[in-house]
Amino acid sequence: MQDLLSIVDVDKTFPGVHALKKVSLSTRKGEVMALVGENGAGKSTLMNILSGIHQKDSGSIRFDGVEMAVTCPMDSQKLGISIIHQELNLIPHFSIAENIFVGREKRKSRFFYDKRKTIEDAKKLLARVGLNVDPRIVVKNLSIAQRQMVEVAKALAFNTKLIVMDEPTSSISDTEIDRLLNIIRELKADGVSVIFISHKLDEVLAIADRITVLRDGEVVGVLEAKGCTEDNIIQMMIGREITNIFPKMETQLGDTVFEVKNFSQGKRFADINFSLRKGEILGFAGLVGAGRSEVLQAIFGIDPSDSGEVFIDGKEVSIKTPRDAIGLGMGFVPEDRKLKGLLLGMAVKDNITLASLETVSKYGLFNFGKERGIADSFVDKLSIKTSNINQKTLHLSGGNQQKVVLSKWLAIKPKILFVDEPTRGVDVGAKKEIHALLSQLTQEGVSIIMVSSELPEILGMSDRIIVMHEGAIKGEILRKDATQHKILTMALSKESA
């Protein structure tokens, strides 16, 4: 089979980081090539070079038999390469149809935009990815899962020879994942090549023909997917064996520290009631769009609620803004770390102390030494891989960015911590570290509410599980009684358990 893409000895260095070291790989026509590796292994850097966002320092890249000269994303698109980035690249205030055809608008003539044709063509593409929504809807009103499918539709709108998908299933439901994998199979049948980047190794084995493994900026091997196992991939990815990815410590649960009663917000969720004990991890499960994240955001004061009461240590509290929540000893690790969790242009140290500025300033004077001390302690405690605490957070891998977000909230010494998809887009090694950290926090008396779309994570880390469906709580399951079947049955049911 002929190579569509051939990358030979590509090198790339950023300040303090040798991101790619003589990387060579190929993708054949009509092949699904999976690209796997820990966060920081160089996967996204390589794809950013392929898309024209970054320029390689040395090496060669040939596409369809011709040496690539790509200096910007538009050059890459013209060659027939579509990139779907992990952090979605849509314009929030544009409609779905406008996003799909941005830069390639349908026109009646040189000067007149053909809105009807644009909407019709957008409908066809949305139907192909199984997204049954009006293409005139503004993107900011969509869920992350829906935005992901719009990105896929946008990629299909090009005359594409190669589609690169970077963590495409990190925020979509099992049904949507199945649909996406079927779309990939259809593309393959049509002769389109796909580079599939994912930490979900079961999906990699289900869809890939070959698997290229990166570690510390180098290719350490190429595996045939047929006959390969997750353990084979993991050991090659990290150079060591990973055991017990859910290191949940048994915790003696204390009294109820947090309680929510009759909490409602319009059509998003209604009549939410639950409690949280000291040292407990309370898991929130359900399909994407069930209202889990919306409940936490309203409790934390990010979004307004219509009604309901919140109690901390038996006393009713008023939370109108995140500042109120922080003042009550609450922290919130959001689902989208880049959009809601970090200021990417700022240094690691600035992000770590962002929620605890009162501890590093007094009488209007900022204590830079104290800031450095706090940042250094969390870089050490959470093993954040950074050249130094002054490095811009933008240049960290996804897993290390997530650790910075966690550090920001741990710096306020929370009593109650909300974590929404805590290991989204994080490699298997960093997952274990984050799980171990959450478990250790409960040993220290911190109470945690965890939203996760990954059932193994919910089952492995939760003391108790609340299942939501269409904005309502459908049931509660104790750790000892929980199974994937029970959770999915509740998550799909309109009847309360």
Side-chain angles (χ1 to χ4, degrees):
M1 192 182 294
Q2 184 180 353
D3 286 345
L4 176 67
L5 174 71
S6 177
I7 298 174
V8 179
D9 291 338
V10 166
D11 231 73
K12 181 64 180 178
T13 299
F14 297 103
V17 179
H18 194 173
L20 298 176
K21 306 165 188 174
K22 301 291 182 183
V23 167
S24 298
L25 63 86
S26 64
T27 302
R28 300 162 184 161
K29 290 185 177 180
E31 177 187 46
V32 178
M33 165 63 78
L35 187 61
V36 301
E38 291 191 271
N39 287 111
K43 308 183 299 296
S44 294
T45 298
L46 186 60
M47 294 306 104
N48 284 336
I49 289 172
L50 188 61
S51 67
I53 294 173
H54 297 320
Q55 304 302 307
K56 66 183 186 299
D57 295 335
S58 61
S60 69
I61 303 176
R62 296 181 69 83
F63 185 75
D64 214 6
V66 179
E67 182 72 21
M68 282 180 62
V70 176
T71 58
C72 67
M74 190 63 73
D75 291 341
S76 183
Q77 290 174 4
K78 287 177 181 177
L79 289 173
I81 301 172
S82 293
I83 313 279
I84 302 174
H85 295 279
Q86 180 181 348
E87 306 302 333
L88 305 181
N89 190 28
L90 298 172
I91 302 170
H93 298 286
F94 278 23
S95 71
I96 294 172
E98 289 166 340
N99 268 282
I100 289 174
F101 293 108
V102 66
R104 301 170 298 110
E105 290 79 5
K106 303 290 180 179
R107 297 189 177 276
K108 295 178 180 178
S109 65
R110 182 178 177 184
F111 300 105
F112 293 98
Y113 170 61
D114 193 337
K115 185 175 181 179
R116 185 175 63 83
K117 176 67 172 170
T118 299
I119 292 171
E120 285 178 358
D121 288 355
K123 280 182 179 178
K124 293 175 185 176
L125 289 165
L126 292 177
R128 188 173 177 187
V129 300
L131 187 57
N132 184 26
V133 296
D134 189 331
R136 292 169 291 189
I137 292 174
V138 176
V139 160
K140 69 176 182 178
N141 295 325
L142 301 178
S143 68
I144 289 182
Q146 290 172 322
R147 294 181 200 185
Q148 179 70 70
M149 302 312 285
V150 171
E151 281 279 21
V152 176
K154 181 179 175 181
L156 295 177
F158 287 89
N159 182 21
T160 300
K161 299 177 183 177
L162 171 67
I163 297 182
V164 179
M165 298 182 176
D166 191 355
E167 297 291 348
T169 65
S170 61
S171 297
I172 60 179
S173 69
D174 289 345
T175 301
E176 291 161 328
I177 289 170
D178 289 342
R179 177 58 185 157
L180 178 60
L181 296 184
N182 284 331
I183 290 169
I184 293 172
R185 293 184 184 103
E186 291 169 9
L187 290 168
K188 178 183 171 181
D190 291 339
V192 177
S193 301
V194 176
I195 295 179
F196 187 81
I197 303 173
S198 180
H199 293 305
K200 296 183 179 181
L201 299 184
D202 57 335
E203 294 169 12
V204 166
L205 291 171
I207 199 65
D209 296 300
R210 291 187 299 149
I211 304 161
T212 298
V213 184
L214 282 173
R215 184 170 76 228
D216 297 329
E218 299 179 275
V219 173
V220 293
V222 179
L223 303 168
E224 294 291 334
K226 188 176 182 180
C228 189
T229 67
E230 291 189 28
D231 285 342
N232 296 151
I233 302 171
I234 290 170
Q235 289 189 39
M236 189 174 284
M237 280 170 56
I238 63 181
R240 64 190 188 279
E241 187 177 356
I242 282 282
T243 57
N244 191 17
I245 195 170
F246 303 109
K248 178 80 169 71
M249 302 178 193
E250 292 302 321
T251 303
Q252 187 65 41
L253 302 184
D255 295 333
T256 296
V257 294
F258 187 76
E259 195 170 5
V260 172
K261 294 182 179 180
N262 306 318
F263 214 64
S264 299
Q265 185 198 64
K267 295 181 179 179
R268 290 189 167 189
F269 56 83
D271 199 28
I272 301 298
N273 293 272
F274 67 87
S275 62
L276 176 69
R277 296 172 67 182
K278 184 175 182 179
E280 181 180 32
I281 296 181
L282 177 62
F284 267 68
L287 303 180
V288 172
R292 301 163 301 165
S293 299
E294 289 81 358
V295 167
L296 296 196
Q297 288 172 182
I299 293 171
F300 202 75
I302 296 170
D303 297 325
S305 61
D306 296 334
S307 61
E309 300 167 308
V310 177
F311 298 83
I312 295 179
D313 294 328
K315 181 182 177 181
E316 186 174 0
V317 296
S318 176
I319 303 174
K320 301 296 184 185
T321 67
R323 180 183 291 273
D324 295 335
I326 293 168
L328 292 165
M330 298 170 64
F332 190 165
V333 177
E335 177 183 13
D336 191 330
R337 58 179 168 265
K338 290 194 174 182
L339 184 64
K340 298 179 179 178
L342 296 167
L343 294 175
L344 294 172
M346 292 176 67
V348 169
K349 63 178 176 59
D350 298 325
N351 274 285
I352 288 176
T353 57
L354 197 59
S356 54
L357 291 175
E358 291 179 359
T359 66
V360 293
S361 62
K362 193 172 184 179
Y363 306 123
L365 298 175
F366 197 84
N367 189 329
F368 291 98
K370 192 169 185 179
E371 178 193 45
R372 285 193 298 272
I374 292 172
D376 281 333
S377 70
F378 281 108
V379 166
D380 181 60
K381 182 178 179 181
L382 273 67
S383 301
I384 300 172
K385 294 179 182 178
T386 178
S387 56
N388 58 69
I389 58 173
N390 293 305
Q391 183 176 15
K392 286 188 177 181
T393 313
L394 173 69
H395 298 311
L396 300 186
S397 68
N400 287 299
Q401 287 179 350
Q402 188 72 347
K403 291 179 183 180
V404 172
V405 179
L406 282 161
S407 298
K408 178 178 77 172
W409 292 109
L410 296 184
I412 72 167
K413 299 178 180 177
K415 295 186 296 184
I416 299 160
L417 182 64
F418 295 173
V419 289
D420 193 351
E421 305 288 358
T423 59
R424 176 185 172 229
V426 167
D427 66 70
V428 66
K431 265 186 182 179
K432 181 175 179 179
E433 291 176 343
I434 291 171
H435 291 151
L437 173 64
L438 295 178
S439 193
Q440 180 60 44
L441 288 172
T442 64
Q443 295 286 305
E444 298 168 6
V446 178
S447 303
I448 296 172
I449 296 178
M450 180 183 73
V451 170
S452 178
S453 298
E454 297 189 27
L455 287 182
E457 184 168 63
I458 284 286
L459 290 165
M461 293 301 296
S462 305
D463 294 293
R464 191 161 46 97
I465 300 163
I466 286 175
V467 184
M468 291 190 65
H469 173 82
E470 293 184 354
I473 291 177
K474 292 301 171 185
E476 180 182 306
I477 313 173
L478 294 176
R479 176 182 178 85
K480 65 182 178 64
D481 300 323
T483 64
Q484 290 200 23
H485 182 265
K486 284 184 179 179
I487 292 173
L488 284 172
T489 299
M490 286 187 188
L492 293 166
S493 174
K494 293 184 180 293
E495 300 298 325
S496 296

